[in-house]
Amino acid sequence: MKPIPIKKEPLGKYAVAPYNFVSFPAKAQIRYNDFSELPKHNSYKDKDGKKLLNGHIAYRLKAETPIMVSSGIDKDKQANFFKNSKGEYAIPGNTIRGMIRTNVQILSHSSIVGNRSKKGEYEDSDIEGSTFLFRDVAGNNSLGKKYSTLLGIDSVKRIAKKVKAGYMVNEGGKLRIEPAEELIESQTYFRIDEIELRKRADKKLPGIYFMYKEGLFKGKDGILNGRVNDESSDPYKPYQAKISFEYDKKSGKVIQIGAPSVYKNDGYILSGGFIRGKLSHYIVPKAKDDVKAIDISDKQKEGYLDDLVLTKKAKKTSEGVKINKDKEFWALPEIGCSKPVFYINFNNELHFGFTPYLRVSYGKSVLDGIKPGYKDVQGISYADGIFGFSNREAKGIEKKISYKSRVSFEDAVAIGKAEVDEDSSIEMILAEPKPTSYNLYLVQENEKQLSIYDGDFRLRGIKQYWLKEYIEKPPKTNSTEMTFHINPLKEGNCFEGKIYFSNLYEDELGLLLWALRLDEGCRQNIGLAKPYGFGRVEVYDIELQIEDIDKKYDSFCFDYMFKADIDGYIDVFKKYFSKEKLNGKDIDEEKPIIELMHIKSKIVKLEEANNYRYMEIKPENEFAKKRILPEISKCDSSYTADKAFRGQFHYQNGKIYIDKVPQNNQNMKNKKKEINAGRAKFNDALSEQLKIWQKENEKN
């Protein structure tokens, strides 16, 4: 299947994305009240003597679009399809397990946060309890206003008044900040434009990198004139360099800059990442003597490192966080070293960074956006009871408890000769929007006052990707570090696998089967590049085999498996869950279930592609518009509600061209007259076309 570019139209009232979120239920449900109720692994009966179920589920998967389940990215940045120990193409059991477990969590209202530890932390959470950092210098929204107020940004003087400068010191792995000297009252750093820097700095001063070529100036209208310094033998890069300097106390400006110890005041000069139009470099005086240093906690350090990973300045490795090439400017100092830093203390909360317009942390963590009824649950969920857990605390028990999974997943092996799809073997981009996109990831009820990771905010839910009938051609990028090449298998390839289960209750088995099959017409998506349409699969030929325990252990007969009814067990789960957990309400009427089945059954068509794509940063920054992403169930109507009627047609070169009429357009009633008029014109045009066809036939 050849990837195709999609026609991208301007955003309407709403944001667009290749994913959406299945809502969290109002309350998480548990299957077991405590650990003592869990079935034992070494007995086929529960504590009341009831027989439990053992057996396997056989199934097949058919790839309806090219599918890419990677075995890893090699040194040549090639991602090849996974092969098992026999050299056969296969979908790893862990991949199937992950897909089924997510469905189980949604269908059974299992909390994905887990239980809170004695320390108050959610150690088993599928959602990281991160506290994100942000920067919004020019944003005219709630976040931009918060940022401007927090830093005390003076747009005229182009300085952040509340930000202080100092030096971050690493002593044996412990970080602290030593404040810089206040050479001018309440000011611990100087800003100097590059135009002035070239005038004030001594010639051939080492360590300074200029953003523009010499001759840079501002015209009468204030427009910057000059070429970016990116083609020289010494192009610009973020830097920090030791210097000495003189300043004029009256004007508050630096008047001379030279090598260390040449002038009266020692310090550093620096500048961070380049943005066209930027002019600022900054000078930080030496550390002040006899002032108590500010300690940086391990939590603050970890938050900063997590943000480096999130912003692609670093990556996580088995040895810790490793800074990416050319991003050393943002690295924490090595043990025994120090470097200039900017910081602000607000409400006893320390924020720090290596430029004055530093990234500051939100007031709350991600997990604060989940209602207590969903995360503060005592007991064991369906998902944890079936798939197991490790090192969990329990009331009255000093030792942590682990529980082994009662299901295991074979690799789903390709049937017959699987073929690599050369047409869709393409370059992929690693980057994608992250949870910091609060307009997409948080519940938004007021587009004029967007919720951020502060105050009373709520997470949208569990992320799921839309299924597509086409493969979208990914955008190009100039960054080779952000890309890799995939070699997927063709659509039409089939796989077969098995899921083994032991000691399940009937409702648990029904849930497992429902999570694999879902409702009629539903599909699943697996592997890499799901946002672009890869990995849409149909699950079919599901067969349930259950052990006859009496036959297995009371006789020498080896034919102790019998085929069982799948629908019957799914019904057992639905009836049990509705009665015991939902006070009689039909589980199929629950919002998370409706949303899951909708996003797993809707196949996005090519003509709808504009509404199910990533938003663009270039040439038009669609992210900057901060549009709200509609809920799953509202996507079909939301995207068309604010658009003009598109049921018109045009007649050209002897042909009739008809635009698609939106099925759920909320303005249909108001456009009734236009629709009728359009139909009349269509009929007239069609009559003319028929006459033309008739004449052509007579000639032939």
Side-chain angles (χ1 to χ4, degrees):
M1 185 179 287
K2 196 172 184 63
I4 55 176
I6 64 171
K7 183 180 179 182
K8 296 180 180 178
E9 299 176 356
L11 293 182
K13 183 179 178 182
Y14 299 97
V16 298
Y19 56 83
N20 211 297
F21 300 86
V22 173
S23 302
F24 295 124
K27 179 184 177 183
Q29 300 293 341
I30 62 170
R31 177 59 176 82
Y32 301 98
N33 292 308
D34 56 51
F35 299 102
S36 64
E37 295 181 0
L38 287 165
K40 297 184 182 301
H41 291 91
N42 59 357
S43 174
Y44 58 86
K45 293 182 180 180
D46 69 4
K47 62 180 183 180
D48 297 322
K50 183 178 180 179
K51 292 179 182 178
L52 301 173
L53 301 172
N54 294 263
H56 68 259
I57 305 165
Y59 64 92
R60 288 186 172 185
L61 297 175
K62 181 179 181 180
E64 296 183 333
T65 59
I67 183 170
M68 181 66 229
V69 181
S70 174
S71 57
I73 301 173
D74 64 22
K75 61 181 181 180
D76 296 322
K77 293 193 173 181
Q78 295 287 324
N80 296 307
F81 205 94
F82 176 82
K83 289 184 177 180
N84 61 18
S85 58
K86 296 179 180 179
E88 302 167 313
Y89 285 117
I91 300 172
N94 280 341
T95 299
I96 305 295
R97 177 190 177 91
M99 177 186 78
I100 300 300
R101 191 177 194 278
T102 298
N103 290 344
V104 163
Q105 288 172 324
I106 295 171
L107 295 172
S108 65
H109 294 7
S110 294
S111 173
I112 64 172
V113 176
N115 296 67
R116 181 187 283 188
S117 70
K118 294 175 182 177
K119 296 179 180 178
E121 299 175 349
Y122 296 92
E123 298 172 348
D124 298 330
S125 176
D126 290 348
I127 299 175
E128 290 188 16
S130 305
T131 300
F132 294 133
L133 306 185
F134 72 93
R135 175 173 52 231
D136 196 336
V137 179
N140 187 25
N141 50 47
S142 56
L143 191 63
K145 292 173 183 176
K146 177 182 174 69
Y147 186 80
S148 180
T149 302
L150 187 63
L151 271 66
I153 295 175
D154 186 329
S155 57
V156 177
K157 294 182 178 180
R158 290 183 293 156
I159 196 167
K161 292 181 177 180
K162 296 180 182 179
V163 174
K164 303 296 181 183
Y167 291 85
M168 183 182 290
V169 181
N170 187 333
E171 291 185 348
K174 292 291 184 181
L175 299 175
R176 57 187 177 85
I177 295 175
E178 297 178 349
E181 288 184 331
E182 286 187 15
L183 299 180
I184 294 177
E185 187 177 357
S186 300
Q187 184 176 320
T188 54
Y189 69 95
F190 299 88
R191 186 188 63 80
I192 182 168
D193 277 358
E194 185 158 311
I195 299 171
E196 290 298 313
L197 178 59
R198 284 194 178 273
K199 296 177 183 178
R200 307 300 178 194
D202 293 349
K203 299 297 181 183
K204 296 182 179 179
L205 185 61
I208 294 178
Y209 290 86
F210 292 101
M211 293 178 274
Y212 304 91
K213 291 191 178 291
E214 199 164 2
L216 171 72
F217 68 96
K218 281 189 174 182
K220 293 180 181 179
D221 54 3
I223 296 176
L224 195 67
N225 291 280
R227 293 179 61 192
V228 177
N229 187 27
D230 58 359
E231 298 174 356
S232 69
S233 59
D234 197 19
Y236 176 77
K237 66 178 181 179
Y239 74 94
Q240 296 168 332
K242 285 185 178 181
I243 59 162
S244 63
F245 64 96
E246 295 283 358
Y247 71 99
D248 177 52
K249 194 166 187 178
K250 186 175 182 180
S251 66
K253 294 183 177 180
V254 171
I255 57 176
Q256 201 71 43
I257 303 168
S261 302
V262 172
Y263 297 107
K264 183 178 178 181
N265 303 285
D266 286 324
Y268 270 80
I269 186 169
L270 60 93
S271 190
F274 173 73
I275 302 173
R276 190 174 183 88
K278 173 185 172 181
L279 288 169
S280 302
H281 298 249
Y282 302 95
I283 294 173
V284 179
K286 67 180 182 180
K288 194 172 183 179
D289 295 330
D290 302 324
V291 174
K292 185 179 179 181
I294 303 167
D295 292 327
I296 298 174
S297 69
D298 290 339
K299 183 178 179 181
Q300 290 163 339
K301 175 183 174 181
E302 290 169 6
Y304 179 79
L305 292 175
D306 286 343
D307 190 63
L308 290 182
V309 174
L310 192 68
T311 54
K312 303 297 182 182
K313 296 181 180 71
K315 56 188 173 186
K316 288 186 177 180
T317 69
S318 57
E319 299 174 355
V321 175
K322 182 180 179 181
I323 299 295
N324 291 335
K325 185 180 179 182
D326 298 329
K327 303 297 182 184
E328 294 83 3
F329 177 86
W330 288 275
L332 297 174
E334 299 288 339
I335 293 177
C337 299
S338 67
K339 63 187 296 187
V341 68
F342 297 88
Y343 66 95
I344 182 171
N345 259 319
F346 181 77
N347 289 341
N348 295 319
E349 185 70 30
L350 177 68
H351 310 270
F352 64 85
F354 297 108
T355 61
Y357 294 101
L358 49 90
R359 291 171 65 80
V360 298
S361 60
Y362 285 100
K364 294 185 177 181
S365 75
V366 174
L367 291 181
D368 289 323
I370 299 178
K371 290 182 177 181
Y374 182 78
K375 65 179 180 180
D376 293 334
V377 180
Q378 297 298 320
I380 300 159
S381 67
Y382 270 95
D384 288 342
I386 294 172
F387 289 87
F389 52 84
S390 61
N391 296 321
R392 181 166 295 179
E393 293 177 351
K395 285 185 177 181
I397 302 175
E398 188 172 333
K399 185 180 178 181
K400 289 186 176 182
I401 293 176
S402 298
Y403 186 73
K404 190 171 68 174
S405 174
R406 287 181 282 154
V407 288
S408 61
F409 294 77
E410 275 188 354
D411 294 345
V413 180
I415 302 170
K417 185 180 179 181
E419 294 184 62
V420 174
D421 187 15
E422 299 295 341
D423 284 340
S424 60
S425 295
I426 54 175
E427 293 289 329
M428 294 296 304
I429 302 173
L430 289 167
E432 66 168 292
K434 294 292 189 290
T436 46
S437 301
Y438 54 87
N439 56 308
L440 306 179
Y441 279 74
L442 302 185
V443 173
Q444 302 292 352
E445 297 175 348
N446 185 350
E447 62 186 39
K448 295 181 179 178
Q449 188 69 31
L450 295 179
S451 294
I452 58 176
Y453 289 95
D454 208 346
D456 185 19
F457 73 96
R458 287 182 291 132
L459 296 185
R460 291 282 303 272
I462 299 175
K463 189 175 182 179
Q464 295 284 290
Y465 287 94
W466 292 101
L467 302 159
K468 298 180 178 181
E469 70 169 7
Y470 56 91
I471 295 295
E472 178 186 344
K473 189 175 183 179
K476 292 182 179 179
T477 178
N478 295 326
S479 173
T480 56
E481 290 185 7
M482 300 288 285
T483 62
F484 63 102
H485 195 93
I486 64 170
N487 299 286
L489 298 185
K490 278 187 175 183
E491 71 275 12
N493 280 300
C494 296
F495 305 81
E496 57 185 3
K498 286 183 179 179
I499 304 169
Y500 293 91
F501 57 89
S502 61
N503 293 352
L504 293 184
Y505 284 98
E506 290 181 340
D507 58 309
E508 292 176 315
L509 177 56
L511 171 60
L512 185 65
L513 289 163
W514 195 21
L516 174 65
R517 193 189 69 179
L518 299 180
D519 286 354
E520 185 177 352
C522 287
R523 299 292 187 266
Q524 310 266 22
N525 41 11
I526 286 177
L528 295 176
K530 291 189 285 288
Y532 300 104
F534 287 84
R536 189 183 93 224
V537 300
E538 177 191 11
V539 182
Y540 69 105
D541 282 358
I542 303 173
E543 184 178 282
L544 172 62
Q545 293 281 341
I546 295 178
E547 293 181 357
D548 183 329
I549 297 297
D550 293 334
K551 216 174 189 181
K552 181 178 181 180
Y553 292 107
D554 295 343
S555 70
F556 290 103
C557 178
F558 292 99
D559 184 20
Y560 51 80
M561 304 292 292
F562 65 91
K563 187 176 179 180
D565 177 35
I566 294 170
D567 289 325
Y569 282 104
I570 293 176
D571 286 342
V572 167
F573 167 74
K574 287 184 176 183
K575 289 176 181 178
Y576 175 85
F577 196 87
S578 296
K579 179 182 178 182
E580 300 295 330
K581 308 299 179 183
L582 302 178
N583 295 320
K585 182 181 177 182
D586 189 343
I587 187 175
D588 289 312
E589 296 177 3
E590 288 286 283
K591 185 177 181 180
I593 311 304
I594 294 171
E595 290 178 334
L596 177 66
M597 298 309 170
H598 181 78
I599 202 168
K600 294 297 186 184
S601 61
K602 176 179 173 59
I603 310 296
V604 177
K605 299 186 180 301
L606 184 58
E607 56 264 31
E608 304 173 284
N610 187 63
N611 297 327
Y612 300 91
R613 60 171 175 87
Y614 281 128
M615 290 184 287
E616 293 187 315
I617 297 177
K618 296 179 181 180
E620 181 182 3
N621 192 346
E622 294 177 322
F623 284 102
K625 300 180 187 297
K626 300 297 183 186
R627 298 284 196 263
I628 296 173
L629 186 67
E631 293 182 356
I632 286 175
S633 58
K634 296 179 181 178
C635 278
D636 292 340
S637 59
S638 295
Y639 287 120
T640 57
D642 64 323
K643 291 186 177 181
F645 175 69
R646 300 180 62 197
Q648 304 297 329
F649 68 92
H650 61 275
Y651 182 84
Q652 184 178 351
N653 298 329
K655 294 182 179 180
I656 300 171
Y657 296 88
I658 307 169
D659 291 323
K660 181 182 178 183
V661 178
Q663 295 299 310
N664 298 308
N665 197 317
Q666 294 178 0
N667 296 325
M668 276 293 194
K669 291 182 180 179
N670 299 330
K671 296 292 182 179
K672 186 175 181 179
K673 292 181 180 179
E674 294 180 48
I675 295 171
N676 291 332
R679 286 173 178 165
K681 290 179 181 179
F682 172 78
N683 290 331
D684 290 340
L686 182 59
S687 296
E688 291 296 321
Q689 180 66 63
L690 289 172
K691 290 177 183 178
I692 294 171
W693 287 336
Q694 187 174 7
K695 288 179 180 179
E696 289 177 349
N697 286 332
E698 288 174 355
K699 289 179 182 179
N700 295 329

